[in-house]
């Protein structure tokens, strides 16, 4: 499998955040951000010149270069550049080759590959922060768009009785499975689906994906949410908050709060 790598020269953080949101909608799977560059990756077979051009024309001043890379080279690059993530004194996310981080309540060890959700991105960081204030003990949890599986792993560590972690990407499923095993999880089930399987009810739903996928699945989310279900939505920009509130209200869900990091937000909702 070959990937396309795009290196965008960024002049402000707002451009980077908007690009990540829009490219995620096009199927881009991995992002690395520095102060001056955004590195984005997509499977070559999923790339559309027309869709990409439609996004790029919105950013007239953004310069970029593109290259084709092999899967294995991408993984090696990812592993070599991966740094631990620490969320307050709550959670540390590290690779097996890092030293243990002792000043936190929970450690999650992952194999850093191409899946989205290593904890570096603001949306994942925001969701983890919100999870610290929720009671997971004995709860049924759905992690929709699991990526690396770290939110599912954390849910089990916080006491969830059962966690269903869903993603539509085979690579993410394989990586999440590795990480579930690495963290000795016994209550997490990983399944590949394009949409939410409507087969049981959940007490807590985590959906850290993007605006389009979330809004397309809101009806299914409502169906699988138990009365009083706590829902955390993330993966979209502050500019999309109004759209999300309208969609949430249209389904009879109760808006609770919004939390922000830069231009990215996480929204809490209750059924």
């Amino acid at each position: 499998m070959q990937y396309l790598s795009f290196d965008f020269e960024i002049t402000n953080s707002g451009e980077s955040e908007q690009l990540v949101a829009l490219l995620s909608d096009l199927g881009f799977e991995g992002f690395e951000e520095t102060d001056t560059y955004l590195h984005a990756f997509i499977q070559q077979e999923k790339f559309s010149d027309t869709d990409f051009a439609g996004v790029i024309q919105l950013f007239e001043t953004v310069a970029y270069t593109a290259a084709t890379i092999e899967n294995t080279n991408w993984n090696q690059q990812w592993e070599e550049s991966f740094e631990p993530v620490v969320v307050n004194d709550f959670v540390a996310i590290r690779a097996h080759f890092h030293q243990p981080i002792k000043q936190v309540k929970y450690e999650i060890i992952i194999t850093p590959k191409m899946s989205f959700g290593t904890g570096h991105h603001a949306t994942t960081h925001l969701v983890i922060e919100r999870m610290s204030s929720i009671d997971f003990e004995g709860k049924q949890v759905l992690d929709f768009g699991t990526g690396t599986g770290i939110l599912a792993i954390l849910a089990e560590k916080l006491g969830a009785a059962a966690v269903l972690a869903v993603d539509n990407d085979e690579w993410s499923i394989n990586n999440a499975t590795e990480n579930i095993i690495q963290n000795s999880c016994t209550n997490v089930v990983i399944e590949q689906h394009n949409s939410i399987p409507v087969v049981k009810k959940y007490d807590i739903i985590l959906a850290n994906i993007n605006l389009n996928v979330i809004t397309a699945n809101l009806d299914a989310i409502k169906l699988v949410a138990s009365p009083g279900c706590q829902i955390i939505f993330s993966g979209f920009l502050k500019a999309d908050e109004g759209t999300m509130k309208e969609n949430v209200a249209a389904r009879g869900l109760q808006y609770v709060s919004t939390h922000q990091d830069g231009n990215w937000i996480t929204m809490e909702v209750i059924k």
Side-chain angles (χ1 to χ4, degrees):
M1 181 191 303
Q2 287 187 320
Y3 274 73
L4 298 177
S5 168
F6 291 84
D7 292 341
F8 299 92
E9 188 172 348
I10 299 299
T11 57
N12 64 71
S13 61
E15 281 184 337
S16 179
E17 291 166 349
Q18 291 170 352
L19 264 174
V20 169
L22 293 169
L23 293 176
S24 294
D25 290 342
L26 299 186
F28 280 73
E29 299 173 7
F31 300 93
E32 293 178 88
E33 296 179 72
T34 69
D35 292 339
T36 54
Y37 280 91
L38 170 68
H39 310 288
F41 305 87
I42 186 172
Q43 290 182 31
Q44 190 171 40
E45 62 185 25
K46 293 183 178 180
F47 180 74
S48 165
D49 284 310
T50 302
D51 292 342
F52 181 74
V55 168
I56 294 303
Q57 71 180 1
L58 301 175
F59 301 86
E60 296 179 359
T61 62
V62 173
Y64 70 91
T65 59
T68 302
I69 56 176
E70 294 293 336
N71 211 3
T72 52
N73 291 339
W74 204 84
N75 286 337
Q76 182 179 359
Q77 176 186 347
W78 190 268
E79 290 184 11
E80 290 174 352
S81 63
F82 180 80
E83 294 293 335
V85 176
V86 179
V87 181
N88 305 323
D89 62 350
F90 181 47
V91 174
I93 303 160
R94 66 175 177 88
H96 64 87
F97 48 79
H98 294 132
Q99 291 298 312
I101 299 170
K102 301 183 183 298
Q103 69 272 24
V104 294
K105 294 178 182 176
Y106 304 99
E107 260 201 323
I108 297 174
I109 302 172
I110 69 170
T111 301
K113 292 189 176 178
M114 291 181 295
S115 305
F116 180 79
T118 58
H120 291 83
H121 196 269
T123 57
T124 310
H125 198 281
L126 280 168
V127 174
I128 290 173
E129 284 185 331
R130 301 322 307 157
M131 289 175 71
S132 68
S133 65
I134 294 176
D135 179 12
F136 280 80
E137 193 65 38
K139 300 295 178 63
Q140 300 289 319
V141 179
L142 171 65
D143 178 17
F144 181 48
T146 193
T148 57
I150 63 172
L151 299 182
I153 293 167
L154 180 57
E156 175 168 329
K157 288 180 179 290
L158 291 172
V163 184
L164 175 62
V166 173
D167 207 290
N168 68 346
D169 178 64
E170 183 178 1
W171 187 267
S172 292
I173 292 297
N174 293 336
N175 188 203
T177 300
E178 285 182 273
N179 294 332
I180 294 299
I181 295 170
Q182 176 89 304
N183 288 272
S184 303
C185 292
T186 57
N187 297 334
V188 179
V189 174
I190 307 285
E191 293 184 2
Q192 185 173 359
H193 296 284
N194 290 321
S195 58
I196 295 173
V198 184
V199 293
K200 63 178 291 187
K201 299 285 188 178
Y202 299 95
D203 305 305
I204 298 170
I205 297 174
L206 311 171
N208 180 26
I209 317 176
N210 61 59
L211 181 69
N212 290 343
V213 174
I214 290 173
T215 54
N217 284 274
L218 271 177
D219 290 328
I221 287 172
K222 181 179 179 180
L223 281 173
V224 300
S226 298
C229 176
Q230 294 174 274
I231 308 169
I232 301 179
F233 294 120
S234 197
F236 46 93
L237 297 167
K238 176 66 176 177
D240 299 318
E241 183 179 12
T243 299
M244 270 300 300
K245 283 183 176 179
E246 291 173 3
N247 277 277
V248 163
R251 271 75 177 188
L253 301 172
Q254 179 184 346
Y255 167 80
V256 177
S257 60
T258 297
H259 304 271
Q260 186 170 351
D261 184 348
N263 288 330
W264 296 98
I265 62 172
T266 287
M267 184 178 292
E268 294 185 66
V269 171
I270 293 179
K271 180 177 178 181

